[in-house]
Amino acid sequence: MTAVWPEIRALIGQGDAEAMAERLAALDQAGRREVARELPGHLRVLRAGRERWSDIEHGETMLLAGAATIGGAAAVASWLNRTEFAFLREVDLLLPVLAGRPRDWQADLAVRLALRVPRGRSTVALDLLRATATEPPPHDPLVVAWVSEWSLRPRAALGRDPLLAAMLPRIFEAEGTGRALWWQTGDGLPGSLRVLAAEGTVSRQMLLDGCVSRFLRGGSAMDLRFFVRLHQALEPVPAEIEARARDYLRLLPVAPVLVAELALSRLRAVTRLDPLDLAEALETLVFRPERKLADAGLSWLDQTARRTPGRAGDLVPALVTAFGHEVYDVQDRAVRISVKHLRHLGPDALRILADAVGSLPRDLGEHLAGALNVALPDTPVAVPSGPHAVVEPEDLSVPPPMPPPPRLRALPAPPATPQELAGLLGGIQWWADAEMFMAALVTLLREDRTAVREALRGGLNPLPYDGGFDGGQWLTAGQWLTAIAGLIAGAPAEGSLAGRVAGFVPIPFRAPPPRRSDRLPRPGETAPPLLMILERCAELLDAVEGDALPPVLLATPTEATGHLDPAVLVSRLERCEAEAAAPLPADLQQALLRLPREIDPGAVRRAAALASAEGRVAARWIARGGFPDPEVRVEGGERTVTSIEAAGTGLPLADRLFADPPRGPHQVRLVTWWPSVMPSHREVAAAHLTHDGSTHSTHPEVLELVVAGAGPAGEALALFLAVQVGRYGPDTATRSLLQMCARGDLPAARLGAWFASLVREECLGLADVTAALEYAAGAGAHVQIWPVLVAALRASLPAVGERPARDLAGFVALCARVARRTGARGEIPEITAVAARKGSSHYVRECRSLRELLARP
């Protein structure tokens, strides 16, 4: 018998997939067994000839050889899913090679591959299921793969897909389907399904019921957007809507806005809706905080009352609910609708309205009370004095409560085992993940270095690497932590650091510079917070390489803001002294920067007993309550220049943070980590974030962390807040503004001035600023927002002869609504000047209204 392996090995080396497929088809049983026996060893040879994580050479021919010769379906599924072949996309010749296997064997392989999607080869799995007429197994990722495949294919072929009947109903149940298809428009897959339903290929009722059931399961707007578009494409007729009316009603209270709007539009087309159901639907809509839905509910209510005046009394509970809405305009409209339909209301309904008068803002209450001819409940009102004075909230009708402040993500627990440590290495996406990884690495290495090395060897494989080693400097924590993991995972004892790391980091790269100083950027080349982060990573790498790790890292935070409990810091220093181990220098400085502004006297007494040099430094700053507040100044708008002045601390990294940021181009990375570097000095953090306009690319989550920190709130934080609120509107950023309102530390005048400055420089849109501040005022912070509005308004009004900014009339109207709600009085000279001008433009009319409102006795 002639050996066939040398011939197959040569074909593998040539990389000729077509020739390989032809030769494999001609193999007999003995030849297949021989090839299957030799493949694992040859794979090890190919793997050894490459740098770890680079692609193996001629992977496609190796993949085909295993698929054609390995015996069991389970073994073939494992072979096809090996990480060495992960770089290969769908291999065109794979199906023809597998076609020579028995049909039952192919069906078994199809199911096994289908159950390993998304890691497996989805196209091969789906095509094998089709070819063998096998029932697809219940696996959500398989459904996502199937529907994603059809989202990119011609419409006509979808109706001929053998998997259509089995897979289509599952798209409404499988997790991830909506997120995978959120980008589809009505002309895409929704349009294709509409045509198939019209042809009778798929059940129209199944599609409608599937959409509604998916809406009822809930989810984010992105998860449900595709199903909304599919439902819209189907255009249900009145009979289909009436059959599902109860389900549409269930969607109104809590569904995302786009789903609630869809349900509302369908319900308004129902002519025989039960009166009790209608009243419940209207009350549900006006209770929702979204102004768009509340307005839609009031429009429906008004239309219903006009069409059937005899039922107007049934709708009064919905009107009373709208009286308590957090948006003033909704309350105002509810009052106007009430007055409009008073003549159709019976005694009981009128009594309900009269009882609710006291829950309205005073001006609206006066309007409704006058129409009802009832007395407004007595409310003691303090007479304000001084310009722009406001009545305290307790002197007004009770405002709606502020929403709870943003909740920071809780700190993750440090990995407790080497396996957990290796798992975290592959999923570091947040600053606290990196902190916990470094802390656990130090602890676990001292406990069992061998176990950590073995775990990291396996954990390197799935690492999503966030930066390469080309170019010299390492500017991300991922580069340093990957290099550290590579050294621990089994680097040879001899050779340079470059030689050691080269075999263990998960990317091909040129050898990095051998000296630590070359890998770190110099102080003037990078932002100081970034330098602090990189210095800590670099000293940890040096400690691992030099076998000089301390027993514990000092700076690992104990709070989600980045703060560190002083008692915990003292305990860590005591442990270092007990083991005669020196803490790492940058780690010590970071720990001191994380001290809270209020320190328990017990921690001060314990720190005073520390004897090491590092302990004495820590004791001095703990006794002083941390570092003093620097003076921060900000100039400019879009390209801001910040200056920071502070007395020297004697700690070089801290002194760089409390000094002017570098001028000119410099590295700005890892900004989500920056606020946690100095959580007790949020003004300094904001100064670094706003310097040279870098704040304009910051995510709102960073604002949450800054606002939740401690320390003064000045120009820098006001600018940072203005940019984030103006950019992201009534969402996370505005909730952070509300948090400052609740804590009483909002820099209102400075914030308003920055809003005006950024609008003038066209960095922000005035409409966005108006929407954000209206959201905050409507959430109950109207008293706190009023000085922001006044400062922004005074700086935004144009001089004589200048054109007003776009949307300025809407901003003035917002000022009037908030002034009315707060009871503000006093003259704003700039408004008085505009109101005295000739003309009747919208802007001038709004200024006159505001002037008259502020001048009321």
Side-chain angles (χ1 to χ4, degrees), residues 247-289:
D247 290 329
Y248 292 129
L249 286 167
R250 291 167 59 194
L251 293 171
L252 294 180
V254 294
V257 173
L258 80 167
V259 177
E261 286 182 322
L262 174 73
L264 174 60
S265 67
R266 298 297 178 253
L267 287 169
R268 294 192 69 169
V270 176
T271 58
R272 294 190 298 272
L273 195 62
D274 183 271
L276 293 179
D277 288 341
L278 173 61
E280 180 184 350
L282 292 172
E283 194 166 356
T284 294
L285 284 169
V286 298
F287 184 76
R288 290 196 58 148

Short mmCIF file of all heavy atoms in Angstrom, two decimals, residues 247-289:
data_model
loop_
_atom_site.label_atom_id
_atom_site.label_comp_id
_atom_site.label_asym_id
_atom_site.label_seq_id
_atom_site.Cartn_x
_atom_site.Cartn_y
_atom_site.Cartn_z
N ASP A 247 -53.57 43.90 23.49
CA ASP A 247 -52.10 43.85 23.53
C ASP A 247 -51.50 45.23 23.29
O ASP A 247 -50.52 45.62 23.94
CB ASP A 247 -51.58 42.86 22.49
CG ASP A 247 -51.89 41.42 22.84
OD1 ASP A 247 -51.94 41.12 24.05
OD2 ASP A 247 -52.08 40.61 21.93
N TYR A 248 -52.08 45.98 22.35
CA TYR A 248 -51.59 47.35 22.12
C TYR A 248 -51.76 48.20 23.38
O TYR A 248 -50.89 49.01 23.72
CB TYR A 248 -52.32 47.99 20.94
CG TYR A 248 -52.02 47.38 19.60
CD1 TYR A 248 -53.04 46.97 18.75
CD2 TYR A 248 -50.70 47.22 19.17
CE1 TYR A 248 -52.77 46.41 17.51
CE2 TYR A 248 -50.43 46.66 17.93
CZ TYR A 248 -51.47 46.24 17.10
OH TYR A 248 -51.18 45.68 15.88
N LEU A 249 -52.86 48.02 24.08
CA LEU A 249 -53.08 48.77 25.32
C LEU A 249 -52.01 48.44 26.36
O LEU A 249 -51.55 49.30 27.10
CB LEU A 249 -54.46 48.47 25.88
CG LEU A 249 -55.64 49.10 25.14
CD1 LEU A 249 -56.96 48.48 25.60
CD2 LEU A 249 -55.67 50.60 25.36
N ARG A 250 -51.60 47.18 26.42
CA ARG A 250 -50.58 46.77 27.39
C ARG A 250 -49.22 47.38 27.08
O ARG A 250 -48.36 47.47 27.96
CB ARG A 250 -50.47 45.24 27.40
CG ARG A 250 -51.69 44.54 27.99
CD ARG A 250 -51.66 43.06 27.70
NE ARG A 250 -50.46 42.41 28.23
CZ ARG A 250 -50.06 41.19 27.90
NH1 ARG A 250 -50.74 40.49 27.00
NH2 ARG A 250 -48.97 40.67 28.43
N LEU A 251 -49.02 47.81 25.84
CA LEU A 251 -47.73 48.39 25.46
C LEU A 251 -47.61 49.86 25.86
O LEU A 251 -46.50 50.38 25.99
CB LEU A 251 -47.53 48.27 23.94
CG LEU A 251 -47.36 46.85 23.40
CD1 LEU A 251 -47.38 46.87 21.88
CD2 LEU A 251 -46.06 46.23 23.90
N LEU A 252 -48.71 50.54 26.04
CA LEU A 252 -48.65 51.98 26.26
C LEU A 252 -47.90 52.40 27.52
O LEU A 252 -47.18 53.40 27.51
CB LEU A 252 -50.07 52.56 26.28
CG LEU A 252 -50.85 52.50 24.97
CD1 LEU A 252 -52.24 53.09 25.15
CD2 LEU A 252 -50.09 53.23 23.87
N PRO A 253 -48.02 51.70 28.67
CA PRO A 253 -47.41 52.24 29.89
C PRO A 253 -45.89 52.23 29.90
O PRO A 253 -45.28 53.19 30.38
CB PRO A 253 -47.97 51.33 30.99
CG PRO A 253 -49.13 50.63 30.40
CD PRO A 253 -48.86 50.52 28.95
N VAL A 254 -45.24 51.18 29.38
CA VAL A 254 -43.80 51.02 29.63
C VAL A 254 -42.97 50.76 28.39
O VAL A 254 -41.74 50.73 28.48
CB VAL A 254 -43.56 49.86 30.64
CG1 VAL A 254 -44.14 50.21 31.99
CG2 VAL A 254 -44.18 48.55 30.13
N ALA A 255 -43.56 50.56 27.25
CA ALA A 255 -42.78 50.24 26.05
C ALA A 255 -41.92 51.44 25.65
O ALA A 255 -42.26 52.59 25.95
CB ALA A 255 -43.71 49.85 24.90
N PRO A 256 -40.79 51.20 24.98
CA PRO A 256 -40.02 52.33 24.45
C PRO A 256 -40.88 53.23 23.58
O PRO A 256 -41.90 52.79 23.04
CB PRO A 256 -38.91 51.64 23.63
CG PRO A 256 -38.77 50.29 24.24
CD PRO A 256 -40.14 49.91 24.71
N VAL A 257 -40.45 54.45 23.42
CA VAL A 257 -41.29 55.45 22.76
C VAL A 257 -41.70 55.00 21.36
O VAL A 257 -42.87 55.14 20.98
CB VAL A 257 -40.54 56.80 22.69
CG1 VAL A 257 -41.32 57.80 21.84
CG2 VAL A 257 -40.34 57.36 24.09
N LEU A 258 -40.77 54.45 20.57
CA LEU A 258 -41.14 54.10 19.20
C LEU A 258 -42.18 52.99 19.18
O LEU A 258 -43.05 52.95 18.28
CB LEU A 258 -39.90 53.71 18.40
CG LEU A 258 -39.30 52.31 18.55
CD1 LEU A 258 -38.30 52.08 17.41
CD2 LEU A 258 -38.62 52.12 19.86
N VAL A 259 -42.18 52.08 20.16
CA VAL A 259 -43.20 51.04 20.23
C VAL A 259 -44.51 51.61 20.74
O VAL A 259 -45.59 51.30 20.21
CB VAL A 259 -42.72 49.88 21.13
CG1 VAL A 259 -43.81 48.83 21.27
CG2 VAL A 259 -41.46 49.25 20.55
N ALA A 260 -44.44 52.46 21.77
CA ALA A 260 -45.66 53.07 22.29
C ALA A 260 -46.34 53.93 21.23
O ALA A 260 -47.58 53.94 21.11
CB ALA A 260 -45.33 53.90 23.53
N GLU A 261 -45.55 54.65 20.43
CA GLU A 261 -46.13 55.45 19.35
C GLU A 261 -46.82 54.56 18.32
O GLU A 261 -47.90 54.90 17.81
CB GLU A 261 -45.04 56.28 18.68
CG GLU A 261 -44.56 57.46 19.49
CD GLU A 261 -43.52 58.28 18.77
OE1 GLU A 261 -42.66 57.70 18.06
OE2 GLU A 261 -43.56 59.51 18.89
N LEU A 262 -46.20 53.43 18.01
CA LEU A 262 -46.82 52.49 17.07
C LEU A 262 -48.14 51.98 17.63
O LEU A 262 -49.17 51.97 16.93
CB LEU A 262 -45.87 51.33 16.80
CG LEU A 262 -46.43 50.20 15.94
CD1 LEU A 262 -46.54 50.64 14.50
CD2 LEU A 262 -45.56 48.96 16.03
N ALA A 263 -48.14 51.55 18.89
CA ALA A 263 -49.37 51.04 19.50
C ALA A 263 -50.45 52.12 19.53
O ALA A 263 -51.63 51.85 19.25
CB ALA A 263 -49.07 50.54 20.91
N LEU A 264 -50.05 53.35 19.84
CA LEU A 264 -51.01 54.45 19.89
C LEU A 264 -51.62 54.70 18.52
O LEU A 264 -52.84 54.89 18.38
CB LEU A 264 -50.32 55.71 20.40
CG LEU A 264 -51.14 57.00 20.39
CD1 LEU A 264 -52.38 56.85 21.26
CD2 LEU A 264 -50.28 58.17 20.86
N SER A 265 -50.80 54.72 17.49
CA SER A 265 -51.33 54.97 16.14
C SER A 265 -52.31 53.88 15.72
O SER A 265 -53.30 54.15 15.03
CB SER A 265 -50.17 55.05 15.14
OG SER A 265 -49.52 53.80 14.99
N ARG A 266 -52.05 52.63 16.15
CA ARG A 266 -52.98 51.54 15.80
C ARG A 266 -54.28 51.67 16.60
O ARG A 266 -55.38 51.49 16.05
CB ARG A 266 -52.33 50.19 16.08
CG ARG A 266 -51.08 49.93 15.26
CD ARG A 266 -51.39 49.87 13.77
NE ARG A 266 -50.20 49.66 12.97
CZ ARG A 266 -49.61 50.59 12.22
NH1 ARG A 266 -50.10 51.82 12.20
NH2 ARG A 266 -48.54 50.32 11.50
N LEU A 267 -54.18 52.01 17.87
CA LEU A 267 -55.38 52.11 18.69
C LEU A 267 -56.28 53.25 18.23
O LEU A 267 -57.52 53.15 18.32
CB LEU A 267 -54.99 52.30 20.16
CG LEU A 267 -54.43 51.06 20.86
CD1 LEU A 267 -53.85 51.44 22.21
CD2 LEU A 267 -55.52 50.00 21.04
N ARG A 268 -55.70 54.34 17.77
CA ARG A 268 -56.52 55.47 17.33
C ARG A 268 -57.32 55.14 16.08
O ARG A 268 -58.26 55.87 15.73
CB ARG A 268 -55.64 56.70 17.09
CG ARG A 268 -55.00 57.22 18.36
CD ARG A 268 -54.38 58.57 18.19
NE ARG A 268 -55.38 59.63 17.98
CZ ARG A 268 -55.12 60.92 18.00
NH1 ARG A 268 -53.88 61.34 18.25
NH2 ARG A 268 -56.07 61.82 17.79
N ALA A 269 -56.92 54.05 15.39
CA ALA A 269 -57.68 53.63 14.21
C ALA A 269 -58.84 52.70 14.57
O ALA A 269 -59.65 52.36 13.71
CB ALA A 269 -56.75 52.91 13.23
N VAL A 270 -58.93 52.31 15.86
CA VAL A 270 -60.00 51.41 16.29
C VAL A 270 -61.23 52.25 16.61
O VAL A 270 -61.18 53.17 17.43
CB VAL A 270 -59.58 50.60 17.53
CG1 VAL A 270 -60.74 49.74 18.02
CG2 VAL A 270 -58.38 49.74 17.20
N THR A 271 -62.34 51.93 15.98
CA THR A 271 -63.58 52.72 16.17
C THR A 271 -64.45 52.17 17.29
O THR A 271 -65.31 52.89 17.80
CB THR A 271 -64.38 52.74 14.86
OG1 THR A 271 -64.67 51.38 14.47
CG2 THR A 271 -63.60 53.43 13.77
N ARG A 272 -64.27 50.90 17.67
CA ARG A 272 -65.13 50.29 18.68
C ARG A 272 -64.35 49.92 19.93
O ARG A 272 -64.52 48.86 20.51
CB ARG A 272 -65.81 49.04 18.10
CG ARG A 272 -66.79 49.35 16.97
CD ARG A 272 -67.61 48.12 16.60
NE ARG A 272 -66.78 47.02 16.12
CZ ARG A 272 -66.43 46.86 14.86
NH1 ARG A 272 -66.82 47.75 13.95
NH2 ARG A 272 -65.69 45.85 14.49
N LEU A 273 -63.49 50.83 20.37
CA LEU A 273 -62.71 50.58 21.57
C LEU A 273 -63.60 50.76 22.80
O LEU A 273 -64.35 51.74 22.90
CB LEU A 273 -61.52 51.54 21.64
CG LEU A 273 -60.41 51.20 22.63
CD1 LEU A 273 -59.76 49.88 22.28
CD2 LEU A 273 -59.35 52.30 22.64
N ASP A 274 -63.51 49.83 23.75
CA ASP A 274 -64.31 49.90 24.96
C ASP A 274 -64.03 51.21 25.70
O ASP A 274 -62.87 51.61 25.84
CB ASP A 274 -63.96 48.72 25.87
CG ASP A 274 -64.82 48.69 27.12
OD1 ASP A 274 -64.41 49.33 28.12
OD2 ASP A 274 -65.87 48.04 27.10
N PRO A 275 -65.07 51.94 26.17
CA PRO A 275 -64.84 53.23 26.84
C PRO A 275 -63.90 53.14 28.03
O PRO A 275 -63.08 54.03 28.25
CB PRO A 275 -66.26 53.64 27.27
CG PRO A 275 -67.17 52.96 26.31
CD PRO A 275 -66.51 51.65 25.99
N LEU A 276 -64.01 52.07 28.81
CA LEU A 276 -63.10 51.93 29.95
C LEU A 276 -61.67 51.71 29.48
O LEU A 276 -60.72 52.24 30.08
CB LEU A 276 -63.56 50.76 30.83
CG LEU A 276 -64.90 50.96 31.55
CD1 LEU A 276 -65.25 49.71 32.36
CD2 LEU A 276 -64.84 52.18 32.46
N ASP A 277 -61.50 50.94 28.41
CA ASP A 277 -60.17 50.74 27.85
C ASP A 277 -59.60 52.06 27.34
O ASP A 277 -58.40 52.36 27.51
CB ASP A 277 -60.21 49.72 26.72
CG ASP A 277 -60.43 48.30 27.23
OD1 ASP A 277 -60.20 48.07 28.43
OD2 ASP A 277 -60.85 47.45 26.43
N LEU A 278 -60.46 52.85 26.69
CA LEU A 278 -60.01 54.13 26.17
C LEU A 278 -59.57 55.05 27.30
O LEU A 278 -58.51 55.68 27.24
CB LEU A 278 -61.12 54.79 25.36
CG LEU A 278 -60.86 56.21 24.88
CD1 LEU A 278 -59.63 56.26 23.97
CD2 LEU A 278 -62.07 56.79 24.18
N ALA A 279 -60.37 55.14 28.35
CA ALA A 279 -60.01 56.00 29.48
C ALA A 279 -58.70 55.55 30.11
O ALA A 279 -57.85 56.37 30.47
CB ALA A 279 -61.15 55.99 30.51
N GLU A 280 -58.51 54.23 30.24
CA GLU A 280 -57.26 53.71 30.81
C GLU A 280 -56.07 54.04 29.91
O GLU A 280 -54.99 54.41 30.40
CB GLU A 280 -57.39 52.20 30.99
CG GLU A 280 -56.14 51.55 31.58
CD GLU A 280 -56.26 50.05 31.65
OE1 GLU A 280 -57.37 49.51 31.43
OE2 GLU A 280 -55.25 49.40 31.93
N ALA A 281 -56.28 53.91 28.60
CA ALA A 281 -55.18 54.21 27.66
C ALA A 281 -54.78 55.67 27.76
O ALA A 281 -53.58 56.01 27.78
CB ALA A 281 -55.61 53.87 26.25
N LEU A 282 -55.75 56.57 27.82
CA LEU A 282 -55.44 57.99 27.90
C LEU A 282 -54.73 58.33 29.20
O LEU A 282 -53.77 59.11 29.22
CB LEU A 282 -56.73 58.80 27.77
CG LEU A 282 -57.40 58.76 26.39
CD1 LEU A 282 -58.76 59.42 26.43
CD2 LEU A 282 -56.51 59.42 25.34
N GLU A 283 -55.19 57.76 30.29
CA GLU A 283 -54.54 58.03 31.58
C GLU A 283 -53.11 57.50 31.58
O GLU A 283 -52.20 58.11 32.13
CB GLU A 283 -55.36 57.39 32.70
CG GLU A 283 -54.97 57.90 34.07
CD GLU A 283 -56.00 57.54 35.13
OE1 GLU A 283 -57.06 56.96 34.78
OE2 GLU A 283 -55.75 57.83 36.31
N THR A 284 -52.91 56.36 30.94
CA THR A 284 -51.56 55.80 30.84
C THR A 284 -50.63 56.71 30.05
O THR A 284 -49.49 56.94 30.44
CB THR A 284 -51.63 54.41 30.17
OG1 THR A 284 -52.33 53.51 31.02
CG2 THR A 284 -50.24 53.87 29.90
N LEU A 285 -51.13 57.24 28.95
CA LEU A 285 -50.29 58.07 28.09
C LEU A 285 -49.88 59.36 28.77
O LEU A 285 -48.72 59.77 28.72
CB LEU A 285 -51.02 58.37 26.78
CG LEU A 285 -51.07 57.24 25.76
CD1 LEU A 285 -52.05 57.58 24.65
CD2 LEU A 285 -49.68 56.98 25.19
N VAL A 286 -50.83 60.05 29.41
CA VAL A 286 -50.48 61.34 30.01
C VAL A 286 -49.66 61.17 31.28
O VAL A 286 -49.07 62.13 31.78
CB VAL A 286 -51.75 62.17 30.32
CG1 VAL A 286 -52.49 62.48 29.04
CG2 VAL A 286 -52.66 61.47 31.32
N PHE A 287 -49.58 59.95 31.81
CA PHE A 287 -48.74 59.69 32.97
C PHE A 287 -47.27 59.50 32.58
O PHE A 287 -46.38 59.69 33.40
CB PHE A 287 -49.24 58.44 33.70
CG PHE A 287 -48.48 58.14 34.95
CD1 PHE A 287 -48.70 58.88 36.11
CD2 PHE A 287 -47.55 57.11 34.99
CE1 PHE A 287 -47.98 58.60 37.27
CE2 PHE A 287 -46.84 56.83 36.14
CZ PHE A 287 -47.07 57.58 37.29
N ARG A 288 -47.02 59.15 31.31
CA ARG A 288 -45.65 58.88 30.89
C ARG A 288 -44.84 60.18 30.89
O ARG A 288 -45.36 61.24 30.56
CB ARG A 288 -45.62 58.26 29.49
CG ARG A 288 -46.16 56.83 29.50
CD ARG A 288 -45.79 56.09 28.24
NE ARG A 288 -44.36 56.03 28.01
CZ ARG A 288 -43.73 55.02 27.41
NH1 ARG A 288 -44.42 53.96 27.02
NH2 ARG A 288 -42.45 55.05 27.19
N PRO A 289 -43.54 60.11 31.23
CA PRO A 289 -42.74 61.34 31.32
C PRO A 289 -42.41 61.95 29.96
O PRO A 289 -42.09 63.13 29.88
CB PRO A 289 -41.47 60.89 32.04
CG PRO A 289 -41.36 59.43 31.75
CD PRO A 289 -42.78 58.93 31.68
#
